[in-house]
Amino acid sequence: DDLRPGLLQAYLKEVGSELHKEASRVPLVELGRQMNIVEGADEFVKPRNVGVLFFYDEPRKFLPGAQIDVVIFPKGPGGGELIEKSFHGPLHEQVRDALRYIQSNVIREKVLKHKDRAEATRTFNYPFPAIEEAVVNAVYLRSYEQREPVEVRVNPDGIEVLSYPGPD
């Protein structure tokens, strides 16, 4: 009862899984077993952590700290001003929403026009693919035994992605 069938079906469709075609006809427990997101005997089936993280509306209920916080320090960490946004919900939606937020609120494009040619030079303050890789790695490779959320700190001179306990 903790897993939401609609989330499972939407995810299977999004990733192009063959299971998507039969997901609405297969009992939830059987689908969970095929996806390896539930465990236990038929009398006491329970979701595995990965099932809760991806297919439960509020994984923080079972795994405190299962969220992403984006904190923007416009004047630096000691500047007395910050903008904070937290992302909750299924893990893949958290990542998608946090990256969308960073892309629209942090990434800036600069266009330089040249007098000697028609083409302009476009540059960005941060390379989005690198931020995407860092955030995805921080979320998917973190320890959920720690209750701290993944935190993306945006400072005037750089971005830090914190994931506890951190890499070895």
Side-chain angles (χ1 to χ4, degrees):
D1 293 338
D2 294 317
L3 303 182
R4 205 172 93 202
L7 281 172
L8 276 121
Q9 292 171 6
Y11 183 81
L12 290 171
K13 183 176 184 179
E14 183 179 330
V15 299
S17 172
E18 290 295 319
L19 275 177
H20 167 67
K21 296 173 185 168
E22 57 186 84
S24 60
R25 296 182 303 245
V26 175
L28 183 58
V29 171
E30 178 58 31
L31 182 61
R33 288 194 194 285
Q34 289 181 35
M35 294 176 66
N36 201 22
I37 60 171
V38 300
E39 62 188 4
D42 288 339
E43 306 82 40
F44 188 65
V45 176
K46 59 184 179 177
R48 298 179 73 206
N49 287 351
V50 68
V52 170
L53 285 167
F54 279 88
F55 307 114
Y56 185 68
D57 287 317
E58 203 49 59
R60 293 182 311 157
K61 176 181 174 186
F62 297 106
L63 299 163
Q67 70 184 54
I68 302 171
D69 293 339
V70 177
V71 185
I72 302 172
F73 297 97
K75 297 176 183 175
E81 181 182 345
L82 64 89
I83 302 161
E84 185 174 25
K85 177 113 173 110
S86 295
F87 298 90
H88 310 116
L91 201 60
H92 59 291
E93 292 178 11
Q94 285 181 36
V95 170
R96 185 179 302 129
D97 293 345
L99 288 171
R100 204 174 287 137
Y101 179 81
I102 291 167
Q103 193 166 34
S104 64
N105 292 287
V106 176
I107 306 291
R108 298 287 176 250
E109 180 181 25
K110 182 177 183 179
V111 179
L112 296 171
K113 297 194 178 205
H114 305 282
K115 292 181 181 183
D116 61 338
R117 59 184 172 182
E119 299 84 17
T121 302
R122 296 176 178 274
T123 59
F124 295 89
N125 58 343
Y126 296 106
F128 182 74
I131 293 170
E132 181 179 40
E133 183 74 16
V135 170
V136 168
N137 284 339
V139 171
Y140 289 156
L141 301 176
R142 66 166 283 182
S143 168
Y144 285 94
E145 293 174 352
Q146 300 283 329
R147 293 177 175 251
E148 297 295 323
V150 168
E151 187 173 327
V152 180
R153 293 182 178 190
V154 182
N155 296 301
D157 61 346
I159 295 177
E160 296 175 278
V161 180
L162 305 174
S163 179
Y164 299 98
D168 290 340

